Amino acid sequence: MNKIVDKEYYSDNVVRLEVEAPRIAKARRAGHFVIVKPDEKGERIPLTIATSDVKKGTITLVIQKVGVTSRKIANLNVGDHITDLVGPLGQATHIEKVGTVLMCGGGVGVAPLLPIVEAFKKAGNKVITILAARSKDLIILEDQMREHSDELIIMTDDGSYGTKGLVTEGMKRVMDREKVDLSVVIGPAIMMKFASLTTKEYNVPTYASLNTIMVDGTGMCGACRVTVGGKTKFVCIDGPEFDAHQVDFDEMLLRLSGYKEIEQKADQDYLDQHK
Amino acid sequence: MSVSKEFLKEERDQAWRNEIRKSLTAKERTSLARVHMNEVDAMERILSNVEVNTGLTAEQAQCEAKRCLDCIDPTCISGCPVEINIPKFIKRIEQGEFLEAAKTLKETSTLPAVCGRVCPQEKQCEAKCFYTLKLKKEPVAIGYLERFAADYERESGQISVPEKASANGIKVAVIGSGPAGLTCAGEMAKKGYSVTVFEALHEIGGVLKYGIPEFRLPNSIVDVEIDSLKKMGVEFETNFIVGKTSSFEELKEEGYQAFFTGSGAGLPRFMNLPGENYIGILSSNEYLTRVNLMHAADSLTDTPILRGKNVAIIGGGNTAMDSVRTAKRLGAERAMIIYRRSMDEMPARVEEIKHAQEEGIEFLTLTNPLEYFANDKGRVNKMRVQKMELGEPDASGRRRPVAIEGSEYDIDVDTVVVSVGVSPNPLIPNSLPQLEVTKWGTISVNEENLQSSIPEMFAGGDIVRGGATVILAMGDGRKAAAEMDKYFKSKK
Ligand SMILES: Cc1cc2nc3c(=O)[nH]c(=O)nc-3n(C[C@H](O)[C@H](O)[C@H](O)COP(=O)(O)OP(=O)(O)OC[C@H]3O[C@@H](n4cnc5c(N)ncnc54)[C@H](O)[C@@H]3O)c2cc1C
Ligand SMILES: Cc1cc2nc3c(=O)[nH]c(=O)nc-3n(C[C@H](O)[C@H](O)[C@H](O)COP(=O)(O)OP(=O)(O)OC[C@H]3O[C@@H](n4cnc5c(N)ncnc54)[C@H](O)[C@@H]3O)c2cc1C
Ligand code: SF4
Ligand code: SF4
Ligand code: FES
């Protein structure tokens, strides 16, 4: 079980893995995630299911290396097995026909955005997608996104590809130009915070998919808690998507750094051992 | 499921029982002093995860067994939720037939080595012992003796695998591998059913694994019990969330004809105080899961844990006691219990409170948290608390704590573990809209037979009772198995 059947590098730090998991492949909907524990001594981390192939019985994960566990997973090869894999978890995205939707993906947030873009297109919406990254080599899944979008806009911080500027600038340009009915933003917490402030200015309802720290992913521990509209919510069972205008992003950003020092040291140790 | 007086009497009248009972007078028996449990020294044990209680020697156990009067009306049995034939197993110990004693335990209890360690005996069997009720003396140490017999059997390597009825080809699913699920699985396997246990986590055992720490219940003991279930043919599927990984409909299509849900009371509660989401404030479930399930304190594992210098645990139950003693073992200089009532109302087992005191845990009773403060990195560094006094008794019969105006003060803390209870795990109810639940979110069952509003679904343990005990969960698993069997027989 959990055998890796295909692997592709999108960039040095971003990898796509196709993993055998027939039950999960069948049960998952856009917006769901899995919890992965790469080996016996490993940590449990959440990863979005980018796509699945029910016939082949596989799910696809897109992983960005940021620390020990994501590195361990991204370093697995075809034929290897993931020790523990459980899902699908979380609430599926609510997909409906609303008119024009603006989809914004930053960094590795593009991967979880892909199934949502696909589903909104299928539901008959006009889909405008913005992909944003620091530079050209960090832009991933461009072709797949183009296939399912009516319009694709690429923004890079350094101008090495597409239009130079932050994701929010691209969003403003679209919303100045035409009426947007709904927006979905997925990316680093800081990007979601500013993207959400931007759509708030334009009064566009917005969903953000939150990537908090998790342990079990089943509602048992509360590590993933965030404040939404003044109430404590658990991202793994109430989310991961929430009304972005209600999310306390500053608190979420703080909580994400909760284990930073321990994690950075662990990451350095791992890198030293695997030189 | 009450054992009949006649049956108990018949057993008591057996020759070996008469003989051993008459070997000493009642006076000789009652003049003996209760045995003390052997323990690792407090200052030594807080440096590691070794089990605190080291068990009785055979000599100690036989001596304690002599205290039991083998009463005509063994009131102790009425205090045990699974009605273990207490005098019978104790007299087997007195006789030196330790394996027979273990067999007696297994007639009604699936996990005696576990219950002997974690049952709140002083509130159950031992509270109903003749010594407690009539003699006003210390009760027979039923829990210690139970542990002794179970450990003896395990260490002897002669574990009796229960006899199995011949396979009947009926597939049943057990959801959750806590004590309720494990017991139900074992009982159904004995009756000849083909049983699969589905568990959401990557380890089998439920709270026995992820909650209760090693120093109280070593994982190896739980593993032996799981192994015997495997030997009986029970199948386990970990990393499988029923209702998510596969739906009930799909499992039915795969041939499962009935279900037992023992999914536990997993959802931690918080108090909604200002600052409660700062870094360093976590639920006891998260704290204990990191340490017990993910082995975060072991330097070879990847899961991180916050090692605090000043650690406060909010609450007074078993979970709070396990968390605070864990904090001490992780190197806390000050490990504190903050509890809003007094020592007398504390729900934790008496033994755990005593052990915690020996280990240097501070008890700030009649104290309630109000607010948390943090440093510029968002890590909690202070908490404001308020003193309380006890007022009139409330619905639970315990005296209600009332805040004392103007008594607020601040305590330096860098880690806070919130241990104020759990709500039922909503995964199963959420995935089965037609399943009836109570207003507390627990699954409604017919108390007579533990059947839910869906006829082929039985349920028990914490998902039905809210946070309860290991032995009650096991009792439910056992009863549900009997009722499930009746359900199949009546369908034929
Ligand atoms: C619902 C959900 C879906 C996700 N989907 C994906 C996905 O499809 N692909 C993917 O690459 N990642 C995804 N993530 C993020 C992924 O879980 C984290 O990157 C991972 O936990 C990091 O673990 P690590 O041990 O490699 O790094 P760590 O050592 O734990 O962290 C390294 C650094 O990354 C930061 N960090 C830690 N956890 C997170 C987090 N959850 N999100 C963002 N930053 C974090 C920390 O501040 C730390 O400094 C998702 C997260 C959630 C909650
Ligand atoms: C820290 C702590 C200390 C305790 N100490 C004591 C003590 O000393 N004495 C005592 O008697 N009691 C104690 N208790 C209480 C006791 O552990 C519980 O009452 C008991 O474990 C309940 O058993 P259960 O089988 O109902 O559920 P649990 O033990 O909670 O097991 C439920 C299992 O079901 C799994 N699950 C949930 N949903 C699904 C799903 N959809 N699919 C698959 N699997 C699922 C969960 O992952 C879990 O493993 C303690 C509890 C805690 C937390
Ligand atoms: S199972 Fe618990 S209550 Fe019953 S006899 Fe043993 S220790 Fe006492
Ligand atoms: S009540 Fe006490 S003395 Fe009497 S049989 Fe039970 S354990 Fe023995
Ligand atoms: S990850 Fe544990 S409750 Fe959400």
Side-chain angles (χ1 to χ4, degrees):
Chain A
M1 264 206 307
N2 312 336
K3 190 166 109 180
I4 296 177
V5 296
D6 194 27
K7 176 173 182 176
E8 178 187 357
Y9 279 90
Y10 285 148
S11 72
D12 282 351
N13 282 318
V14 181
V15 171
R16 179 181 68 84
L17 292 179
E18 194 177 339
V19 189
E20 236 168 44
R23 285 188 190 266
I24 303 177
K26 190 168 159 214
R28 58 82 52 173
R29 300 283 169 272
H32 279 149
F33 64 95
V34 287
I35 293 267
V36 178
K37 177 168 160 286
D39 52 39
E40 275 314 315
K41 307 257 171 201
E43 180 181 15
R44 295 167 65 102
I45 68 162
L47 295 169
T48 308
I49 305 168
T51 58
S52 69
D53 185 329
V54 181
K55 264 202 217 109
K56 267 169 84 184
T58 61
I59 59 170
T60 295
L61 307 174
V62 178
I63 303 117
Q64 180 176 32
K65 302 182 190 175
V66 295
V68 174
T69 311
S70 49
R71 263 182 235 290
K72 276 186 172 178
I73 297 168
N75 289 346
L76 293 171
N77 290 310
V78 172
D80 290 345
H81 294 258
I82 295 175
T83 306
D84 295 289
L85 174 71
V86 62
L89 297 161
Q91 304 292 331
T93 309
H94 184 68
I95 310 276
E96 58 179 339
K97 182 162 188 233
V98 289
T100 303
V101 292
L102 179 59
M103 302 286 172
C104 312
V108 79
V110 172
L113 191 62
L114 179 63
I116 299 172
V117 165
E118 253 185 88
F120 269 99
K121 181 70 201 163
K122 229 187 235 157
N125 293 286
K126 175 177 173 192
V127 179
I128 306 169
T129 302
I130 305 181
L131 302 186
R134 258 175 291 132
S135 61
K136 178 173 180 189
D137 50 325
L138 297 175
I139 293 285
I140 59 169
L141 296 172
E142 183 185 340
D143 294 339
Q144 291 92 325
M145 282 292 188
R146 199 179 296 284
E147 190 188 325
H148 301 287
S149 308
D150 292 278
E151 183 185 351
L152 184 78
I153 299 167
I154 290 179
M155 305 289 300
T156 52
D157 294 2
D158 62 0
S160 53
Y161 193 44
T163 311
K164 180 170 163 47
L166 297 172
V167 69
T168 44
E169 290 165 40
M171 293 169 72
K172 278 185 185 160
R173 233 165 276 160
V174 173
M175 291 186 292
D176 284 335
R177 186 184 77 191
E178 63 181 280
K179 179 169 174 298
V180 171
D181 298 292
L182 180 78
S183 180
V184 178
V185 300
I186 310 185
I190 191 81
M191 170 243 169
M192 291 194 279
K193 173 182 169 180
F194 286 104
S196 150
L197 288 172
T198 307
T199 57
K200 201 165 182 181
E201 275 173 44
Y202 290 81
N203 261 322
V204 174
T206 303
Y207 288 106
S209 179
L210 305 185
N211 49 0
T212 49
I213 292 176
M214 292 190 179
V215 183
D216 58 303
T218 65
M220 185 188 89
C221 76
C224 62
R225 66 194 195 274
V226 286
T227 304
V228 182
K231 292 214 176 77
T232 295
K233 297 275 176 188
F234 287 7
V235 173
C236 66
I237 46 172
D238 301 318
E241 279 165 35
F242 292 96
D243 176 352
H245 298 155
Q246 302 286 324
V247 173
D248 183 343
F249 281 106
D250 292 328
E251 179 189 273
M252 179 181 155
L253 276 160
L254 267 185
R255 286 186 58 81
L256 269 175
S257 68
Y259 293 89
K260 204 166 193 159
E261 279 161 34
I262 313 177
E263 277 161 348
Q264 276 169 351
K265 185 175 173 303
D267 197 28
Q268 200 50 53
D269 292 350
Y270 179 84
L271 286 173
D272 290 347
Q273 276 167 26
H274 291 82
K275 266 192 188 136
Chain B
M1 203 181 42
S2 186
V3 282
S4 79
K5 286 228 161 78
E6 292 70 45
F7 176 74
L8 288 176
K9 187 166 177 302
E10 226 169 79
E11 296 248 295
R12 189 174 179 269
D13 287 342
Q14 288 179 355
W16 72 269
R17 279 277 282 277
N18 283 328
E19 191 183 318
I20 196 95
R21 189 164 56 243
K22 289 184 179 135
S23 64
L24 287 175
T25 64
K27 189 135 185 245
E28 284 169 316
R29 294 184 185 277
T30 53
S31 67
L32 296 167
R34 178 173 156 127
V35 68
H36 285 280
M37 176 54 88
N38 306 310
E39 294 171 359
V40 180
D41 177 70
M43 290 309 116
E44 188 187 324
R45 71 195 187 219
I46 57 170
L47 301 176
S48 74
N49 246 335
V50 291
E51 191 178 6
V52 172
N53 287 347
T54 53
L56 302 180
T57 62
E59 210 174 315
Q60 285 174 311
Q62 281 183 286
C63 186
E64 179 65 21
K66 287 192 182 125
R67 293 183 70 224
C68 170
L69 298 166
D70 200 359
C71 304
I72 300 183
D73 176 17
T75 41
C76 52
I77 296 180
S78 67
C80 172
V82 294
E83 299 180 306
I84 287 182
N85 192 341
I86 294 170
K88 178 176 169 194
F89 99 79
I90 293 183
K91 289 302 121 181
R92 282 297 192 195
I93 293 180
E94 183 176 344
Q95 210 189 7
E97 295 288 346
F98 304 143
L99 290 175
E100 286 297 319
K103 234 189 227 162
T104 304
L105 292 171
K106 285 195 167 168
E107 285 167 12
T108 45
S109 162
T110 350
L111 310 166
V114 175
C115 294
R117 285 172 167 80
V118 305
C119 254
Q121 292 107 8
E122 71 276 2
K123 290 185 194 144
Q124 300 182 349
C125 50
E126 294 183 15
K128 294 281 165 67
C129 174
F130 184 74
Y131 279 77
T132 317
L133 294 180
K134 294 280 155 44
L135 301 178
K136 308 290 170 211
K137 284 192 181 184
E138 282 193 290
V140 174
I142 303 170
Y144 294 171
L145 292 173
E146 179 169 341
R147 169 187 163 146
F148 169 79
D151 283 358
Y152 182 90
E153 186 198 36
R154 190 181 61 254
E155 283 155 16
S156 75
Q158 303 176 50
I159 302 181
S160 58
V161 176
E163 277 172 41
K164 265 183 73 169
S166 56
N168 62 16
I170 302 176
K171 263 169 88 174
V172 296
V174 169
I175 302 160
S177 66
L182 292 178
T183 305
C184 184
E187 293 293 320
M188 288 306 276
K190 270 193 229 168
K191 296 181 203 299
Y193 292 85
S194 125
V195 188
T196 306
V197 179
F198 295 97
E199 169 54 52
L201 294 171
H202 59 270
E203 281 261 8
I204 302 163
V207 172
L208 306 181
K209 278 284 178 63
Y210 77 72
I212 304 179
E214 282 284 305
F215 57 80
R216 221 152 57 78
L217 175 65
N219 281 345
S220 56
I221 287 179
V222 184
D223 284 334
V224 169
E225 305 293 348
I226 294 167
D227 272 347
S228 8
L229 290 177
K230 285 183 180 160
K231 281 192 197 121
M232 286 166 64
V234 174
E235 306 249 0
F236 289 91
E237 286 240 28
T238 51
N239 296 311
F240 195 119
I241 305 178
V242 175
K244 291 261 178 195
T245 308
S246 288
S247 66
F248 285 90
E249 289 312 316
E250 285 166 314
L251 290 177
K252 274 191 211 163
E253 278 162 28
E254 288 173 30
Y256 293 97
Q257 297 186 33
F259 299 84
F260 173 76
T261 301
S263 54
L267 215 60
R269 273 190 225 134
F270 287 91
M271 295 173 73
N272 294 318
L273 298 178
E276 207 176 31
N277 288 347
Y278 284 132
I279 298 169
I281 305 182
L282 58 172
S283 74
S284 48
N285 270 6
E286 179 181 351
Y287 195 61
L288 293 171
T289 300
R290 283 179 183 272
V291 176
N292 298 330
L293 182 74
M294 305 309 296
H295 309 289
D298 174 350
S299 62
L300 296 175
T301 62
D302 295 336
T303 305
I305 183 84
L306 296 171
R307 287 175 193 264
K309 221 159 92 179
N310 297 306
V311 186
I313 280 76
I314 319 297
N318 283 321
T319 317
M321 233 41 74
D322 284 342
S323 302
V324 79
R325 296 174 68 200
T326 298
K328 192 78 193 177
R329 283 160 175 77
L330 290 177
E333 284 169 20
R334 267 192 104 181
M336 301 165 258
I337 284 283
I338 306 221
Y339 180 56
R340 64 195 182 118
R341 304 182 199 242
S342 75
M343 288 306 269
D344 290 341
E345 286 84 22
M346 235 178 237
R349 293 180 68 219
V350 171
E351 185 177 49
E352 299 334 314
I353 298 174
K354 172 180 154 271
H355 283 158
Q357 283 168 328
E358 291 165 3
E359 288 164 10
I361 304 300
E362 291 173 55
F363 286 79
L364 281 66
T365 52
L366 291 168
T367 305
N368 205 28
L370 291 179
E371 184 173 0
Y372 300 99
F373 303 92
N375 65 17
D376 56 356
K377 290 192 177 122
R379 173 86 183 248
V380 63
N381 61 5
K382 224 200 298 264
M383 67 187 287
R384 182 153 301 157
V385 298
Q386 184 172 42
K387 297 291 289 176
M388 313 292 278
E389 58 190 355
L390 291 179
E392 295 300 308
D394 63 11
S396 72
R398 295 184 298 177
R399 293 176 65 193
R400 200 159 53 93
V402 186
I404 303 176
E405 288 300 320
S407 65
E408 298 84 1
Y409 68 102
D410 293 347
I411 306 175
D412 286 336
V413 288
D414 50 28
T415 306
V416 176
V417 179
V418 183
S419 190
V420 294
V422 285
S423 310
N425 191 319
L427 280 170
I428 295 290
N430 283 353
S431 58
L432 267 181
Q434 69 275 38
L435 181 68
E436 274 174 33
V437 293
T438 65
K439 64 177 179 210
W440 299 281
T442 52
I443 297 180
S444 314
V445 294
N446 173 346
E447 272 174 43
E448 293 296 306
N449 63 4
L450 301 182
Q451 199 169 23
S452 73
S453 58
I454 301 173
E456 66 273 24
M457 156 104 62
F458 296 75
D462 282 3
I463 188 65
V464 168
R465 298 172 177 271
T469 60
V470 171
I471 187 71
L472 285 169
M474 284 176 37
D476 285 354
R478 192 179 153 79
K479 182 166 166 188
E483 296 295 336
M484 212 187 252
D485 187 43
K486 273 194 217 159
Y487 162 82
F488 280 115
K489 300 226 156 97
S490 72
K491 275 205 328 185
K492 267 182 201 157

